[in-house]
């Protein structure tokens, strides 16, 4: 089957990591890098890989729209507004890795099927990608009354965008715990730990399920199945210990080691975003191919 | 001496003390305490969940009473004292801050780990726009060298903090270390400098006096030591000591003694003392509010809470990472059963 053509907007850390991951994809063909600073490391690397490089961002695509079918936006919430408009005008599908959240939230192991034809989907947050599958797995056995997650990441892996607007993380993640995870009420906390060497990303999920609905064995199995699913595209995703049960509360400890593609291994928080984005794009691409064949 | 007191005290028992009562404050307790502190002319009274606005959670402990109700209750009985709130970006949000401001909170204390001041920019700026007095609160100050602390304090000043605090969250600093830190900030910053101590090494009072000697003018205390770990600098004792030193706080000492005895002592689940675990907090440099969580984890996993705390200190676990207490306890219990 022909590969589906994709492009990246933003040549920073996230864009550069996407570049490495997409080069390995069997379904997607990375053709284009859209940045704003031609001298940046990411743009230089894109040139080296032989990609079409635009230094006027997404606007470069207006001249040659046939270069891509799916676009990854790895810029910022502010820049995404314009990028999304251009994508819509050109009829391209948009994967939004920024906190802009114009389109529906997507966690690939949870609700991707519902949004295969959406023109714009949002990847939530790193903490959301790491924890919402677990909330969803618990909720599939016992309705989650309250889902709370705590994401601890190394200070070094928290970029200036995250730092300047940390409420975006807590608010967006909390919303997605409800909308995608299925919890009646969601809450999210983020901690930046400066220890050296940098710590791996850790996430803790606390969930309170409906009275009398707790089934330890089934929940443990559902979580374990979900971990395996996530591991298919984030190999460094794992449980630190067995889930801990206490009455109608269950606590799950996760650790995410990055693949170490472009970003260091401790930056599991960034890796899980780019890995999820590629996974979503691959599914969208397969869907496009199926649709065109039918 | 002018009417303007040189040292302005913030009473933190209704926020830091929330840890010691596992966040079970009631409206009646807060109303009675705040009303009496107001009468004793305490300039600022901090009221929030122990981990600040939005802290009510499974991670830190659910509040028995919504903190907004507690803030509202305190505001309703305080015509002299200003009600302060604590906010840790990453836990609480600007939305929470606005709600507290609407209820009449007049001071926003925005707290970050000592190396992460830049996450406080938006919150400090918003507090300013809301017309609140602003404090930047650099927690776990013992974990960074003075130069780093200074760099971060300057950031908070640049965001609009009216005061920057050196916060000894673990009660781990020694007097000469407090002096060095306060002195560096005093020399380089134009805003007020504050100090918040914990008594885990029995140094809260000594450190506070050292801070004042170097020019700190904003000081935190908890009446009857009602704070996390072994508690903070004991407010009523501090008022007495400063009085004997000829430093005016504007606070009525006898009234404070009576509040401590008649209102606050009955709230404490047990008298504050430096026991094996709270001493370990200070010795190992661990966030004071981990104390009760470590006790619970120790019971659940049949390990020593001292071992848990020491291990947390070794791993440089910082404030807010309460989930690591269970994680470490589970690991220790596995290691001992092997």
């Amino acid at each position: 089957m022909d590969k589906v053509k994709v492009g990246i907007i933003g040549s920073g850390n996230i864009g550069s990591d996407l570049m490495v991951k997409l080069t390995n994809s069997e379904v997607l063909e990375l053709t284009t890098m859209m940045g704003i600073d031609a001298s940046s490391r990411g743009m230089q690397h894109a040139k080296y890989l032989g990609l079409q490089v635009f230094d006027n961002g997404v606007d470069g695509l207006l001249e040659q729209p046939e270069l891509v079918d799916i676009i990854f936006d790895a810029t910022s919430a502010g820049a995404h507004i314009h990028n999304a408009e251009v994508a819509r005008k050109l009829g391209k599908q948009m994967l939004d890795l920024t906190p802009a959240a114009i389109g529906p939230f997507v966690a690939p192991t949870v609700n991707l099927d519902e949004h295969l034809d959406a023109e714009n989907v949002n990847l939530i947050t790193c903490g959301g990608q790491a924890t919402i599958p677990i909330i969803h797995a618990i909720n599939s056995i016992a309705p989650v009354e309250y889902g709370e997650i705590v994401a601890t990441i190394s200070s070094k892996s928290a970029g200036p965008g995250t730092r300047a607007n940390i409420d975006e993380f807590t608010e967006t993640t909390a919303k997605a715990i409800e909308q995608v995870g299925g919890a009646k009420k969601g809450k999210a906390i983020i901690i930046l730990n400066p220890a050296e060497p940098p710590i791996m990303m850790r996430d803790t999920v606390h969930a309170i399920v409906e009275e009398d609905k707790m089934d330890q064995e089934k929940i443990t199995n559902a979580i374990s199945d979900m971990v395996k699913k996530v591991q298919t595209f984030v190999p460094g995703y794992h449980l630190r210990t067995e889930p801990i049960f206490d009455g109608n509360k269950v606590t799950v400890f996760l650790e995410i080691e990055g693949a170490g593609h472009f970003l260091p291994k401790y930056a599991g928080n960034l890796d899980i975003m780019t890995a999820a984005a590629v996974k979503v794009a691959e599914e969208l691409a397969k869907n496009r191919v199926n649709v065109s064949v039918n | 001496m002018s009417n303007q007191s040189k040292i302005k005290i913030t009473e933190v028992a209704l926020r830091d003390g929330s840890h010691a009562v596992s966040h079970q404050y009631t409206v009646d307790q807060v109303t009675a305490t705040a009303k009496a502190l107001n009468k004793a002319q305490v300039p600022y009274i901090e009221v929030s969940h122990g981990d600040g606005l939005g802290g009510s959670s499974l991670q830190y402990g659910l509040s028995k009473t919504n903190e907004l109700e507690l803030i509202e209750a305190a505001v309703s009985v305080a015509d002299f004292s200003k009600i302060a709130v604590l906010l840790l970006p990453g836990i609480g949000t600007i939305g929470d801050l606005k709600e507290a401001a609407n209820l009449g909170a007049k001071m926003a204390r925005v707290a970050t780990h000592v190396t992460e001041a830049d996450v406080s920019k938006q919150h400090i700026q918003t507090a300013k726009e809301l017309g609140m007095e602003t404090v930047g609160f650099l927690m776990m100050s013992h974990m960074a060298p003075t130069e780093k602390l200074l760099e971060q304090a300057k950031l908070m000043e640049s965001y609009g903090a009216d005061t920057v605090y050196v916060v000894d969250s673990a009660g781990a600093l020694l007097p000469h270390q407090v002096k060095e830190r306060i002195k560096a900030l005093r020399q380089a910053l134009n805003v007020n400098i504050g100090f918040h101590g914990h008594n885990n090494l029995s140094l809260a009072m000594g450190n506070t006096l050292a801070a004042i000697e170097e020019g700190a003018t904003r000081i935190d205390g908890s009446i009857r030591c009602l704070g996390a770990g072994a508690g903070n600098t004991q407010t009523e004792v501090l008022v007495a000591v400063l009085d004997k030193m000829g430093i005016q706080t504007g606070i009525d000492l006898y009234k404070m003694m009576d509040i401590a005895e008649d209102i606050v002592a009955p709230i404490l689940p047990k008298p504050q003392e430096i026991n094996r675990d709270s001493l370990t907090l200070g010795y190992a440099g661990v966030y004071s509010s981990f104390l009760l969580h470590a006790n619970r984890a120790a019971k659940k996993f049949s390990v020593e809470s001292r071992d848990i705390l020491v291990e947390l200190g070794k791993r440089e676990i910082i404030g807010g990472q309460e989930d690591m207490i269970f994680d470490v306890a589970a690991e220790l219990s596995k290691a001992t059963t092997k």
Side-chain angles (χ1 to χ4, degrees):
Chain A
M1 117 187 178
D2 282 345
K3 286 188 175 183
V4 171
K5 286 183 254 169
V6 301
I8 301 168
I9 318 173
S11 62
N13 282 337
I14 298 278
S16 297
D17 196 65
L18 278 171
M19 210 163 17
V20 180
K21 284 187 167 67
L22 287 168
T23 313
N24 301 330
S25 174
E26 287 168 13
V27 189
L28 307 170
E29 181 191 353
L30 175 62
T31 61
T32 312
M33 171 59 85
M34 294 158 268
I36 46 172
D37 177 4
S39 66
S40 72
R41 193 174 151 199
M43 292 284 268
Q44 293 290 331
H45 188 65
K47 263 183 219 155
Y48 167 80
L49 288 178
L51 305 182
Q52 173 67 51
V53 174
F54 295 121
D55 62 7
N56 56 342
V58 74
D59 293 347
L61 213 54
L62 291 166
E63 309 283 312
Q64 293 170 268
E66 71 288 351
L67 279 172
V68 305
D69 299 307
I70 299 175
I71 306 172
F72 294 82
D73 191 348
T75 59
S76 66
H80 181 69
I81 308 297
H82 173 69
N83 295 341
E85 263 172 38
V86 173
R88 189 184 306 125
K89 199 157 75 185
L90 298 177
K92 309 295 178 189
Q93 268 185 310
M94 172 62 97
L95 294 188
D96 173 19
L97 285 87
T98 80
I102 294 173
F105 293 137
V106 166
T109 54
V110 177
N111 68 338
L112 181 53
D113 295 349
E114 297 162 30
H115 302 297
L116 287 173
D117 299 316
E119 62 178 23
N120 184 318
V121 294
N122 177 269
L123 271 297
I124 318 173
T125 60
C126 60
Q129 287 299 337
T131 59
I132 286 167
I134 302 296
I135 303 258
H136 183 262
I138 299 168
N139 194 58
S140 70
I141 305 296
V144 173
E145 293 278 339
Y146 175 72
E148 174 183 311
I149 72 102
V150 183
T152 306
I153 65 175
S154 65
S155 297
K156 268 198 179 155
S157 68
T162 305
R163 288 171 173 278
N165 200 343
I166 203 157
D167 286 7
E168 266 175 2
F169 175 93
T170 49
E171 286 167 352
T172 303
T173 309
K175 222 188 282 172
I177 289 170
E178 297 169 7
Q179 289 177 11
V180 183
K184 284 212 183 73
K185 183 157 176 44
K187 181 173 178 69
I189 292 170
I190 182 168
I191 312 278
L192 308 181
N193 180 312
E196 286 290 340
I199 56 158
M200 296 280 171
M201 182 198 202
R202 284 187 182 234
D203 293 272
T204 299
V205 177
H206 304 279
I208 291 181
V209 304
E210 262 180 31
E211 214 60 65
D212 304 323
K213 294 283 172 63
M214 184 63 91
D215 183 329
Q216 297 197 10
E217 197 187 327
K218 277 193 186 164
I219 288 179
T220 303
N221 290 337
I223 291 171
S224 160
D225 290 347
M226 183 56 85
V227 168
K228 282 180 203 134
K229 274 192 209 167
V230 177
Q231 280 172 343
T232 60
F233 58 97
V234 189
Y237 183 86
H238 63 268
L239 293 175
R240 289 199 29 91
T241 58
E242 288 291 297
I244 294 175
F245 294 90
D246 182 8
N248 63 335
K249 181 176 93 170
V250 52
T251 304
V252 181
F253 298 99
L254 297 156
E255 186 170 77
I256 297 98
E257 178 178 352
H261 284 144
F262 174 79
L263 302 159
K265 286 193 171 183
Y266 61 77
N269 48 314
L270 304 177
D271 188 68
I272 198 168
M273 281 298 271
T274 53
V278 171
K279 171 75 178 167
V280 168
E282 288 183 342
E283 296 304 318
L284 296 182
K286 285 179 198 163
N287 181 59
R288 296 171 78 96
V289 173
N290 290 342
V291 170
S292 59
V293 169
N294 292 343
Chain B
M1 193 95 197
S2 67
N3 289 336
Q4 202 65 22
S5 311
K6 188 173 161 248
I7 301 295
K8 285 201 172 175
I9 290 180
T10 299
E11 171 55 58
V12 300
L14 298 179
R15 195 282 303 167
D16 211 319
S18 174
H19 294 294
V21 300
S22 302
H23 317 292
Q24 300 300 295
Y25 276 135
T26 63
V27 168
D28 286 349
Q29 288 171 337
V30 168
T31 306
T33 310
K35 190 175 181 182
L37 290 168
N38 179 69
K39 264 202 187 134
Q41 307 238 305
V42 174
Y44 301 97
I45 305 169
E46 188 176 49
V47 183
S48 307
H49 183 281
D51 294 273
L53 298 174
S56 178
S57 57
L58 295 171
Q59 173 84 349
Y60 306 124
L62 295 168
S63 298
K64 177 174 182 152
T65 312
N66 184 328
E67 64 196 338
L68 297 174
E69 284 176 44
L70 300 179
I71 292 164
E72 195 173 17
V75 167
S76 74
V77 292
D79 55 7
F80 173 83
S81 307
K82 289 180 178 145
I83 302 305
V85 292
L86 182 74
L87 174 85
L88 279 66
I91 300 176
T93 62
I94 285 171
D96 297 325
L97 186 63
K98 287 183 175 165
E99 284 188 79
N102 276 341
L103 293 173
K106 293 279 186 266
M107 177 191 265
R109 309 211 307 167
V110 183
T112 73
H113 184 69
V114 59
T115 54
E116 311 298 314
D118 57 359
V119 299
S120 70
K121 182 177 182 183
Q122 245 190 347
H123 306 78
I124 292 177
Q125 287 175 344
T126 304
K128 262 269 175 283
E129 284 160 24
L130 291 168
M132 301 172 93
E133 190 176 339
T134 51
V135 171
F137 212 62
L138 288 166
M139 301 189 292
M140 298 292 268
S141 282
H142 75 284
M143 287 181 82
T146 300
E147 309 81 72
K148 185 73 186 174
L149 173 75
L150 180 59
E151 164 202 299
Q152 300 290 303
K154 282 183 183 164
L155 286 177
M156 283 179 158
E157 180 180 44
S158 76
Y159 305 151
D162 301 312
T163 300
V164 178
Y165 264 71
V166 174
V167 180
D168 185 16
S169 318
L173 285 172
L174 304 177
H176 72 275
Q177 297 172 313
V178 173
K179 278 192 170 184
E180 183 190 306
R181 284 166 170 75
I182 299 287
K183 189 176 180 181
L185 264 56
R186 181 65 289 152
Q187 283 173 352
L189 270 61
N190 295 311
V191 296
N192 304 316
I193 310 299
F195 179 73
H196 172 106
H198 277 271
N199 203 37
N200 304 329
L201 294 177
S202 200
L203 286 172
M205 181 65 69
N207 284 343
T208 296
L209 296 182
I212 290 172
E213 201 182 311
E214 292 298 337
T217 55
R218 298 300 181 105
I219 300 294
D220 285 6
S222 57
I223 189 161
R224 201 78 173 199
C225 270
L226 177 46
N232 312 86
T233 312
Q234 195 166 340
T235 318
E236 69 278 24
V237 182
L238 178 64
V239 171
V241 169
L242 293 179
D243 178 76
K244 284 175 78 82
M245 291 170 70
I247 299 172
Q248 299 308 309
T249 59
I251 298 175
D252 186 320
L253 173 61
Y254 281 17
K255 284 202 175 96
M256 288 299 280
M257 289 177 176
D258 294 342
I259 300 167
E261 205 74 22
D262 303 331
I263 301 177
V264 176
I267 294 175
L268 273 163
K270 54 180 185 186
Q272 280 291 40
E273 58 178 354
I274 303 172
N275 56 24
R276 182 172 56 189
D277 288 338
S278 48
L279 168 56
T280 305
L281 293 170
Y283 184 68
V286 176
Y287 202 57
S288 293
S289 45
F290 283 11
L291 182 67
L292 297 182
H293 297 275
N295 290 160
R296 283 191 284 268
K299 273 199 195 108
K300 187 168 172 86
F301 293 95
S302 307
V303 291
E304 281 286 336
S305 47
R306 179 173 56 193
D307 295 341
I308 301 174
L309 293 169
V310 167
E311 185 60 29
L312 291 165
K314 263 190 217 156
R315 294 191 191 181
E316 297 178 63
I317 299 303
I318 65 166
Q321 289 189 270
E322 269 77 346
D323 49 332
M324 283 302 295
I325 301 171
F326 261 63
D327 196 302
V328 163
E331 251 181 61
L332 289 176
S333 106
K334 253 191 235 162
T336 50
T337 50
K338 257 177 201 166

